[in-house]
Amino acid sequence: MGRVQAGSALAAFGMGLTVPFLYVYAAQVRGLGAGAAGMVLAAFAVAALAVLPLTGRAIDRRGPLPVLLAAAVVSASGAMALGLARGEAAVVLAAAVLGAGTAVIQPALATLVVWCSGAASRGRSFAVQFFLQNVGLGAGGLVGGLLVDGSSPGGFVALFSVEALMFLALAAIAAGARAGIPSPVTAVEPGSESAALRGAGAGAGSGGWRALLGHRAMVQLSVLGFVLFFACYGQFDSGLSAYGVEAAGVSPSMLGVALAANTAAIAVAQFAVLRFVERRRRSRVIAAVGLIWAVAWAAAGYAGLGHAGQAMATTAFVSTYALFGLGESLLSPTLAPLVADLAPEGAVGRYNSAFALVKQLALAVGPAVGGPMGAALHGPYVVTFLLFSLGVTALALRLGRWLSPAQDRPHPAGGRIAARGGRRAGEPAGVAESIPADC
């Protein structure tokens, strides 16, 4: 597991080097203009949406490791091609290849985490992955920002080359951990609720997407996930940034400080909140995130709509990003493990891919809606997304009605989690110890 997590962090570092600067690269460095740069970003997103519906079946049939290796190689090829491309068609095609590869990596990694962790330790494993990926992205963005030169393609070629090497490093590390990764036959824990094909999800492993859409709890979680990603991640680099500059008078340099505050909040809170999360119902934790984000949007409203001085407005705006980070740290050990617990035997890859597709849709729609509103409709923008955050709380409480006690609260009150293998007090030894130690 540690090797795979390290490879994931390296890949995130590589993406942080270039992805935030794709627009600048296409529009200015390659001289393609704003229209072509928009097509590059659209190709990156559309390619991801195109491949994700096919990814889950491949993961469930072949296992996550072969899919991860193929996706890492495709991503490396796309990154290298993007650095060397010159014409508009070549740049758009390379961006599509990169977008498709990176989209597949995420559900493959998520399924690997599920296979390599026990039910009790799964939340912590996803929390570590989220933490390392954020550190990697933040470090990559910082290094990329220092090295980017809008007047010369040479620096970008070097950055894209390093990104390609990071994807190949992920492939090499994952391939080296092959011996410790369970086979598709042994990946599901004996006696686990997933193996029992519980409730409405029974049969989804063989019934495909139709059965998944008939799984009421998963549908509810997908709707909740769309609202979560639309109201938070979909606003970071679009609507909220535009709102901060136009309404709150925040300087562009302070946008970087706000993003750093978000990363810092995750780094500080991630492991501190784990015990809190493990002792509470998952639906209640997600509901709490909605309330935290509502406070974040209220702070944004104070920054842009109140009568505070510039220093107070900037402080309130930065605190908005920090509060978002606190909410993210609560979600990372909650959402992904819940998706895994809802998935029947043989369908974990499909469920992870479906949830990744929901996230990608939200990230595509969020900027399109929030960008114009944040730039011009300041009051309606804040009110709209404050209400979306409260909607998260309502949807999370509603989701709790469709979850079994084991799905909503996998760690019973007073349950003791073992340091190795994740076995709770009183749990049969075979469950936790069926996970290979090398994974």
Side-chain angles (χ1 to χ4, degrees):
M1 175 66 75
R3 301 177 195 175
V4 175
Q5 302 282 36
S8 174
L10 289 176
F13 173 78
M15 291 184 65
L17 288 173
T18 64
V19 172
F21 313 107
L22 284 180
Y23 182 89
V24 174
Y25 173 70
Q28 299 179 11
V29 176
R30 291 302 180 186
L32 301 179
M39 290 181 60
V40 168
L41 296 177
F44 189 89
V46 170
L49 292 175
V51 299
L52 281 171
L54 308 174
T55 301
R57 186 177 293 273
I59 292 174
D60 290 331
R61 286 185 174 182
R62 303 292 183 182
L65 183 57
V67 175
L68 175 62
L69 296 178
V73 172
V74 169
S75 299
S77 302
M80 200 68 249
L82 195 52
L84 298 175
R86 295 188 179 182
E88 179 178 331
V91 173
V92 170
L93 179 60
V97 173
L98 179 59
T102 55
V104 174
I105 285 175
Q106 293 308 312
L109 279 173
T111 306
L112 270 178
V113 171
V114 173
W115 281 22
C116 293
S117 59
S121 63
R122 192 165 293 148
R124 290 176 177 263
S125 297
F126 276 107
V128 170
Q129 183 190 46
F130 181 74
F131 171 79
L132 291 176
Q133 285 182 338
N134 271 275
V135 171
L137 282 170
L142 178 61
V143 173
L146 294 174
L147 299 180
V148 160
D149 182 2
S151 62
S152 171
F156 269 99
V157 172
L159 290 178
F160 280 114
S161 299
V162 174
E163 181 181 20
L165 288 175
M166 294 299 100
F167 286 124
L168 294 178
L170 168 62
I173 291 171
R178 182 190 300 268
I181 295 175
S183 67
V185 176
T186 61
V188 178
E189 300 165 35
S192 70
E193 193 169 4
S194 178
L197 298 177
R198 67 241 165 233
S206 59
W209 286 91
R210 180 178 298 179
L212 189 151
L213 292 174
H215 189 169
R216 189 64 179 269
M218 183 60 189
V219 171
Q220 294 276 342
L221 179 60
S222 298
V223 172
L224 171 59
F226 181 88
V227 177
L228 277 167
F229 297 123
F230 175 76
C232 176
Y233 298 95
Q235 303 308 312
F236 271 3
D237 299 321
S238 57
L240 192 55
S241 297
Y243 173 84
V245 173
E246 299 294 339
V250 175
S251 66
S253 62
M254 290 306 297
L255 292 178
V257 174
L259 287 170
N262 175 264
T263 302
I266 293 172
V268 171
Q270 185 60 87
F271 299 104
V273 302
L274 281 175
R275 188 175 296 275
F276 171 85
V277 170
E278 289 169 348
R279 290 178 174 177
R280 284 158 180 82
R281 298 182 184 276
R282 286 166 168 169
S283 57
R284 304 285 177 85
V285 172
I286 301 172
V289 171
L291 296 178
I292 292 171
W293 285 358
V295 175
W297 282 109
Y302 174 78
L305 306 177
H307 301 285
Q310 189 56 53
M312 288 298 296
T314 300
T315 300
F317 184 76
V318 171
S319 70
T320 298
Y321 278 79
L323 287 169
F324 276 133
L326 175 59
E328 291 173 73
S329 68
L330 291 170
L331 288 177
S332 62
T334 305
L335 277 181
L338 180 54
V339 173
D341 286 350
L342 288 174
E345 181 180 2
V348 176
R350 210 164 307 162
Y351 272 53
N352 280 327
S353 296
F355 201 71
L357 178 61
V358 167
K359 179 178 181 179
Q360 193 65 40
L361 283 170
L363 294 181
V365 176
V369 174
M373 288 186 67
L377 303 173
H378 303 151
Y381 176 69
V382 170
V383 172
T384 297
F385 285 93
L386 191 152
L387 292 176
F388 267 109
S389 297
L390 295 177
V392 166
T393 299
L395 287 171
L397 295 176
R398 179 183 176 86
L399 172 65
R401 304 172 189 171
W402 292 96
L403 300 178
S404 70
Q407 292 164 352
D408 200 17
R409 193 171 190 174
H411 309 296
R416 180 173 57 84
I417 301 172
R420 177 69 186 102
R423 182 157 57 96
R424 291 191 298 270
E427 183 179 51
V431 174
E433 291 161 8
S434 64
I435 306 302
D438 292 340
C439 199

